[in-house]
Amino acid sequence: DLTGDLLLHDHWPPKQGDEKNYVHLGPESFYIAKEIQAHASELKEKILLDLGCSSSVLALPAAPHVEKAIGIDISARAIEFADTLKEFRQLKNVEFYQTSVGSEIAETLIGQDIDIAVFNPPLAIPHEGTSYPHRDGGNFGIEIPLLFLDFASRHLKPQGQCWFIVGAPIVKGKDFFAEELKTRKEWKVEQLRLIDPYFNQALARKHNYPVQGIEHIELRLYRLIKV
């Protein structure tokens, strides 16, 4: 039950020049949060890493079930909110750090003993004049999700798992994300669930998706195992 969690985030749009400190709660995060609850029995004595944790919508529901939860986010304000919620819930097994995924600090900070990594990365495809760091997924919307995935790979134990949401663009009949995932031989797909076959359609015209050759975007939930 997520109704007891106090979730804080700012109002849209972020202040000019302060985009990196914007605290965004993507509603897609609840798909992962529900996945965490549905598989709570698998989390016992596990160390969980929440990448791009924002105000901790994933780390909080995981905390009662895991040995330890760690969250990292680029936004200082997001970490402030997460720490506030941690204190409010009186959680002793959760740690939050302000740093970017893939930074030297993050690489040093996070060891190689993570059991499960979770994330809802930025999913929108950048467009000139409308780019926001907290929501844009980079080239074709998959650059940042792949960055998160590769970071998770470096820090997970063998047989560790990665649970995440991704917006997979179909570009001129080609599934860009699936093709990139195939090149990463360390991953085995344990579960793939199609959540929305036409994700972010409201942004299609605004961000010129057709001009970029994007036919549609599939919102997917993945559970991967590191082999």
Side-chain angles (χ1 to χ4, degrees):
D1 179 14
L2 299 176
T3 58
D5 290 327
L6 177 63
L7 301 169
L8 300 174
H9 59 98
D10 280 349
H11 295 288
W12 180 262
K15 294 178 182 178
Q16 179 110 21
D18 195 32
E19 292 88 353
K20 284 188 177 181
N21 275 325
Y22 182 74
V23 183
H24 182 62
L25 171 61
E28 302 84 20
S29 290
F30 287 101
Y31 290 109
I32 302 292
K34 289 179 180 178
E35 195 75 7
I36 288 171
Q37 290 188 329
H39 297 273
S41 62
E42 300 176 27
L43 303 179
K44 188 177 180 181
E45 299 180 353
K46 304 291 187 184
I47 298 177
L48 180 139
L49 173 63
D50 181 1
L51 298 173
C53 64
S54 189
S55 57
S56 71
V57 66
L58 300 184
L60 284 182
H65 310 290
V66 300
E67 177 184 329
K68 182 179 181 181
I70 304 168
I72 63 175
D73 197 279
I74 194 173
S75 169
R77 291 169 74 191
I79 296 301
E80 287 177 12
F81 283 3
D83 278 332
T84 298
L85 295 176
K86 168 187 169 181
E87 295 301 320
F88 179 77
R89 295 281 298 275
Q90 298 183 328
L91 297 170
K92 304 298 184 183
N93 65 333
V94 185
E95 299 174 357
F96 296 109
Y97 301 99
Q98 189 227 334
T99 186
S100 59
V101 176
S103 70
E104 185 175 343
I105 293 174
E107 296 287 355
T108 303
L109 185 67
I110 307 301
Q112 294 180 310
D113 58 352
I114 303 299
D115 296 291
I116 299 175
V118 297
F119 56 86
N120 172 20
L123 298 176
I125 297 174
H127 176 60
E128 186 177 354
T130 60
S131 178
Y132 295 101
H134 62 277
R135 64 192 297 267
D136 290 340
N139 189 34
F140 283 106
I142 64 172
E143 182 180 0
I144 301 302
L146 289 170
L147 172 71
F148 281 25
L149 184 61
D150 291 341
F151 182 90
S153 175
R154 293 192 294 273
H155 296 276
L156 281 170
K157 295 177 180 177
Q159 300 301 307
Q161 296 190 33
C162 192
W163 306 356
F164 63 97
I165 292 288
V166 70
I170 309 303
V171 184
K172 299 179 181 178
K174 186 175 181 180
D175 186 335
F176 274 22
F177 185 81
E179 290 297 316
E180 286 291 335
L181 186 55
K182 286 179 184 177
T183 68
R184 290 157 167 81
K185 304 299 184 182
E186 72 272 29
W187 294 112
K188 173 187 174 183
V189 178
E190 177 75 5
Q191 179 186 10
L192 167 57
R193 185 188 311 160
L194 178 61
I195 297 173
D196 185 350
Y198 292 97
F199 178 62
N200 264 350
Q201 280 297 101
L203 296 178
R205 289 196 185 92
K206 182 179 179 182
H207 288 199
N208 286 334
Y209 286 1
V211 173
Q212 300 181 58
I214 301 170
E215 298 165 10
H216 62 100
I217 297 173
E218 296 184 356
L219 183 64
R220 301 172 183 166
L221 185 149
Y222 280 93
R223 290 185 66 187
L224 306 181
I225 297 178
K226 182 181 175 182
V227 295

